[in-house]
Amino acid sequence: MMTNTVEAEGQLTPEEQKRLTADMHRSLRRKKFRALFLVAPLLIFIMVTFVAPIVSMLYRSVDNPQVLEYMPNTSAALADWDGKDIPDEATFAALVTDLAEGRKNHTIGKAATRLNYERSKMRSLITGTARKAGRLKPPYKDKVIKIKAGWADIDTWKIIKRESKSLTASYYIAAFDMETTPDGEIKMLPEKERVYFKMLWRTIWMSVLITLLTLLLGYPVSYLLASLPMRTANTLMILVLLPFWTSLLVRTSSWIALLQGQGVINDILVWFGLVNDDSRLSMIYNATGTVITMTHILLPFMILPLYSVMKTIPPSYMRAARSLGATPFTAFFRVYLPQSVPGISAGAILVFILAIGYYITPALVGGQTGQFIGNMIAYHMQGSLNWGLAAALGVILLVLVMGIYALYSRIVGNNNQMTLR
Amino acid sequence: MALPSYAGPLETFWYYAFRAFCGLVFIFLISPLLIIIPLSFNIEPYFSFTEGMLAFEPDAYSMRWYKEFFTSDRWMNAIQNTFIVAICSTILSMILGTLAALGLSRSELPFKGLIMGLLISPMIVPLIISAAGMFFFYSSLGVSQSYLGLILAHTALGTPFVVITVTATLSGFDHNLVRAATSLGATPTYAFFKITVPLIMTGVISGGLFALMTSVDEVVVALFIAGAEQRTVPMQMWAGIREQISPTILAVATLLVCMSILLLTTVEYLRRRSETIRGITPQ
């Protein structure tokens, strides 16, 4: 359009026009590169120090090298096994080679641990046989079965064959409390053995509860702060910002001092005679402890976005409604509340996202019943060392959080993220 | 929001009930921070008030746990580690974050949304997931259990704050000022240091304070990738709370509360100053 105007004035020949366009493109490109050049250092840094670790975790949740790497002969021998009968002598010979070799290199334990995730008893089957494998002479088949009867079970072989692929879905299957039968069917575990789904579910509903509590406590306070004169509001705001700026561990340890059996709150209750000295309330090292502590920790994250939205609602609207005959309640529910909805949804989603990924607080005050899925991830990282499962649980949590975050940015846009964490 | 003169009895009741409720919420917010202060002066090795403390007997109070804190090699070493890591990562965050924010504020930058998303992703991803990912990846690179690894990790977690605060400062930035400077003969570099830098400095510093706080308070990632050599204050507190609860932790906590008060004051001051400079009426 611009070129048309210029042409109409008749000042530029087509060649000049072309040159001008080229110049403009070149200058634009240069500006583009300059902008990219400024962003590049951090972008590369984040890619290497943050995005690559997350991607490597994604990969680890499906990575399955152990059987293939530490039992190479058996894997190869099983490649064209039809799965109908116990494998032949050649496969058993391959197995004995792998076991003897693996025992010498101290690697067979890794393959055994991996297979044990699929079926308990696999570890003892493999390590027990490996201990004697070095001294065996052919023919192997009957001798191996004599050492451990498990080798006569066709399912053992089916599992080894299945797990000798370099990628596996089995960590995800386990993370959803399901199992693969030796015949390759995926089914739910019996009710009693379902751990992770229950944990994920508990994490979600406890996060919802915490979100609702922060909303219940935060809404009136934000309303008060937004309607008070600036000077008073700023002073009271310190009471919100100070906890916000205080270390998570400080607040958690302080709640331990408050809530424990011999703690301040129980002491007060006993002193007032509301509770007997020998029946003090147990408010910590259980779900109650997690909910109270996390509500306190996350409350500022609810108040700040609510406050920033309420600040923009003109107080004259409420006055107008009142002067037109509305009761205070009608005025609030019909006029004020609908206008504060963006703040509610922003605060709620923010608190929920933060809550669902928590690990430290539940670990310190959660006891048995107040643990979150994050604690399960940490346990498999540091305790059971089942890293594949930890990674799979991490990816599930990540997908969940990212989904909710997408919702959050839709609602809030991209400019209100300062209040995150 | 004073109570209007036409308010009926019900409305008066609600007015005071509402204020009382808000008062309770404020007490809920602040009392956990205040309760640890007297508790940290307990002479007994308990986490709760003794009878002597409640009777205000001077004998029940002591500086014992502060003395223990300041004479403990473990804690002093942890403080040193925390500061080394926090200062290095804050400086790195401020440099990288400010540059990126300058780039992001240019309208010519392609894929702006995607880049912004990537740059602030460390803030959105739950810490336990970041920690798990970094644990695998940093171990395979051989930088876990080292200061370098911890500094890199904390820098990644801190930069989003710098990017966001500086971007916010730049959003109210009048580019005509730079144009005016250049038209008056300033070189782009001179204009940058004389015009742009002073105006965005408050954003850079408050972003840096957020990054500093993130690093000082960070424990999840540190637990996974730091070794015994790099033990930080939060790691030491974590171990203390899990193993044996000694009031030393409360002494540390009290000192940390004082530090947050200091930081809060600084950030608030910077915010007001920035608004004054940018011509927004201070609130």
Side-chain angles (χ1 to χ4, degrees):
Chain A
M1 265 165 274
M2 215 164 98
T3 35
N4 281 344
T5 347
V6 175
E7 208 171 28
E9 285 169 11
Q11 289 171 338
L12 289 175
T13 62
E15 288 85 65
E16 281 175 317
Q17 228 182 73
K18 212 180 270 171
R19 212 178 53 226
L20 201 64
T21 325
D23 273 355
M24 205 181 71
H25 279 301
R26 199 176 312 132
S27 135
L28 202 67
R29 205 159 41 230
R30 207 178 309 132
K31 280 186 168 173
K32 217 183 243 181
F33 274 116
R34 211 174 288 157
L36 267 178
F37 184 73
L38 285 167
V39 174
L42 181 58
L43 195 59
I44 294 168
F45 181 84
I46 291 290
M47 282 301 197
V48 174
T49 59
F50 189 81
V51 178
I54 301 286
V55 172
S56 89
M57 193 184 72
L58 281 171
Y59 179 66
R60 194 172 281 269
S61 68
V62 292
D63 189 22
N64 193 34
Q66 294 91 338
V67 177
L68 202 58
E69 197 172 319
Y70 303 123
M71 297 174 73
N73 298 310
T74 319
S75 307
L78 282 173
D80 15 83
W81 175 58
D82 59 5
K84 287 195 185 102
D85 251 321
I86 297 177
D88 54 8
E89 174 64 21
T91 313
F92 273 90
L95 175 74
V96 172
T97 320
D98 284 339
L99 292 181
E101 191 73 13
R103 185 165 155 76
K104 212 165 61 196
N105 304 333
H106 304 287
T107 52
I108 198 65
K110 291 179 184 167
T113 308
R114 175 66 192 89
L115 288 166
N116 208 56
Y117 294 149
E118 301 303 317
R119 195 193 210 192
S120 47
K121 293 181 194 152
M122 282 296 254
R123 192 204 315 272
S124 67
L125 179 68
I126 289 174
T127 51
T129 318
R131 223 171 291 135
K132 295 176 182 160
R135 292 188 296 268
L136 287 180
K137 297 272 179 305
Y140 296 113
K141 190 166 175 176
D142 295 331
K143 291 174 190 160
V144 169
I145 292 174
K146 212 170 155 193
I147 298 172
K148 288 275 179 187
W151 296 110
D153 184 353
I154 193 158
D155 290 350
T156 307
W157 295 97
K158 281 182 182 166
I159 289 169
I160 297 178
K161 182 177 163 117
R162 189 179 78 217
E163 292 312 325
S164 58
K165 293 190 187 76
S166 60
L167 294 179
T168 181
S170 69
Y171 295 121
Y172 283 97
I173 292 172
F176 282 112
D177 285 331
M178 295 188 279
E179 62 173 355
T180 317
T181 62
D183 293 318
E185 222 179 301
I186 297 172
K187 63 169 207 286
M188 289 301 287
L189 283 171
E191 191 75 40
K192 260 191 259 168
E193 290 168 39
R194 293 180 197 170
V195 184
Y196 305 111
F197 213 71
K198 217 191 272 173
M199 194 68 126
L200 189 63
W201 187 237
R202 181 207 281 168
T203 308
I204 292 174
W205 87 251
M206 275 176 74
S207 303
V208 170
L209 180 65
I210 291 163
T211 310
L212 289 177
L213 281 172
T214 53
L215 184 61
L216 186 76
L217 299 180
Y219 196 93
V221 168
S222 318
Y223 179 81
L224 181 76
L225 287 173
S227 54
L228 282 175
M230 210 58 216
R231 186 179 292 270
T232 330
N234 271 343
T235 316
L236 283 176
M237 202 58 170
I238 293 172
L239 302 181
V240 179
L241 288 174
L242 190 59
F244 179 76
W245 276 94
T246 304
S247 157
L248 181 76
L249 285 164
V250 169
R251 292 195 268 164
T252 308
S253 45
S254 148
W255 277 109
I256 295 175
L258 280 166
L259 296 175
Q260 64 180 338
Q262 300 298 318
V264 178
I265 292 179
N266 263 317
D267 281 347
I268 293 175
L269 291 176
V270 170
W271 192 70
F272 276 112
L274 294 170
V275 170
N276 274 331
D277 200 8
D278 46 2
S279 60
R280 285 165 175 258
L281 304 176
S282 56
M283 292 176 287
I284 204 157
Y285 307 123
N286 53 26
T288 319
T290 305
V291 171
I292 295 177
T293 313
M294 282 184 59
T295 303
H296 180 252
I297 289 169
L298 296 174
L299 187 51
F301 293 95
M302 178 64 87
I303 294 177
L304 294 174
L306 267 177
Y307 172 74
S308 69
V309 167
M310 287 178 176
K311 213 51 231 165
T312 64
I313 305 175
S316 53
Y317 286 11
M318 279 277 270
R319 282 204 296 273
R322 291 298 308 281
S323 77
L324 290 169
T327 63
F329 292 97
T330 322
F332 175 75
F333 285 106
R334 303 273 303 266
V335 175
Y336 199 86
L337 189 66
Q339 292 187 83
S340 66
V341 164
I344 296 176
S345 42
I349 291 174
L350 179 60
V351 169
F352 185 76
I353 288 182
L354 288 172
I356 207 170
Y358 252 60
Y359 155 60
I360 293 293
T361 310
L364 290 176
V365 301
Q368 285 286 316
T369 53
Q371 300 284 305
F372 277 21
I373 195 80
N375 301 82
M376 212 47 151
I377 297 174
Y379 166 72
H380 284 303
M381 295 286 300
Q382 297 182 313
S384 79
L385 303 182
N386 187 349
W387 290 350
L389 184 55
L393 288 169
V395 172
I396 293 169
L397 179 60
L398 184 65
V399 168
L400 199 64
V401 168
M402 283 303 178
I404 304 165
Y405 183 75
L407 200 70
Y408 175 75
S409 2
R410 263 237 174 118
I411 294 170
V412 192
N414 277 323
N415 40 29
N416 201 14
Q417 283 142 343
M418 196 59 245
T419 43
L420 256 175
R421 186 168 303 153
Chain B
M1 195 193 61
L3 190 63
S5 49
Y6 51 80
L10 185 67
E11 210 169 322
T12 316
F13 168 77
W14 268 104
Y15 176 82
Y16 286 109
F18 173 73
R19 299 214 156 192
F21 182 81
C22 290
L24 288 177
V25 176
F26 283 123
I27 292 172
F28 172 72
L29 273 167
I30 210 76
S31 59
L33 305 186
L34 300 181
I35 207 81
I36 51 175
I37 298 172
L39 276 178
S40 69
F41 294 102
N42 195 346
I43 197 163
E44 305 289 340
Y46 303 131
F47 232 47
S48 48
F49 286 101
T50 57
E51 277 174 29
M53 292 180 89
L54 294 173
F56 293 106
E57 288 167 19
D59 291 353
Y61 292 85
S62 79
M63 293 292 280
R64 178 179 167 188
W65 307 109
Y66 289 88
K67 212 173 282 168
E68 189 159 312
F69 169 70
F70 282 109
T71 52
S72 149
D73 286 345
R74 279 188 142 205
W75 279 106
M76 288 302 115
N77 196 20
I79 288 190
Q80 200 187 339
N81 286 337
T82 304
F83 274 98
I84 293 173
V85 172
I87 289 170
C88 293
S89 62
T90 304
I91 292 173
L92 256 176
S93 305
M94 281 164 83
I95 296 170
L96 292 172
T98 308
L99 283 179
L102 287 169
L104 279 166
S105 73
R106 298 187 172 218
S107 54
E108 301 88 7
L109 184 76
F111 312 113
K112 196 181 255 177
L114 178 71
I115 291 177
M116 187 71 174
L118 279 171
L119 295 187
I120 62 163
S121 61
M123 202 161 70
I124 301 147
V125 173
L127 278 169
I128 184 70
I129 293 174
S130 315
M134 285 171 171
F135 171 76
F136 295 133
F137 192 72
Y138 286 24
S139 308
S140 64
L141 290 185
V143 293
S144 73
Q145 316 233 331
S146 74
Y147 285 104
L148 179 67
L150 199 55
I151 290 170
L152 292 180
H154 281 189
T155 307
L157 296 177
T159 44
F161 295 103
V162 182
V163 171
I164 287 173
T165 43
V166 179
T167 309
T169 323
L170 282 169
S171 73
F173 183 77
D174 187 357
H175 285 277
N176 286 329
L177 295 173
V178 180
R179 272 186 218 122
T182 355
S183 79
L184 290 168
T187 61
T189 330
Y190 188 78
F192 175 76
F193 282 105
K194 274 289 181 192
I195 309 288
T196 315
V197 170
L199 281 167
I200 64 170
M201 212 49 201
T202 48
V204 176
I205 293 175
S206 51
L209 284 175
F210 270 104
L212 184 80
M213 207 52 205
T214 308
S215 174
V216 168
D217 193 25
E218 206 291 319
V219 56
V220 185
V221 170
L223 282 175
F224 278 86
I225 66 168
E229 289 279 295
Q230 293 85 37
R231 192 176 264 250
T232 60
V233 171
M235 286 169 78
Q236 180 73 29
M237 282 192 83
W238 159 267
I241 299 173
R242 293 206 113 184
E243 286 150 21
Q244 90 302 2
I245 299 179
S246 114
T248 317
I249 290 163
L250 296 182
V252 184
T254 306
L255 294 173
L256 284 173
V257 170
C258 296
M259 196 179 95
S260 356
I261 295 175
L262 206 72
L263 273 172
L264 172 65
T265 325
T266 319
V267 171
E268 193 55 26
Y269 166 75
L270 284 171
R271 193 181 64 82
R272 290 185 192 192
R273 183 172 176 268
S274 145
E275 282 176 353
T276 321
I277 288 182
R278 283 154 63 202
I280 303 167
T281 349
Q283 298 187 324

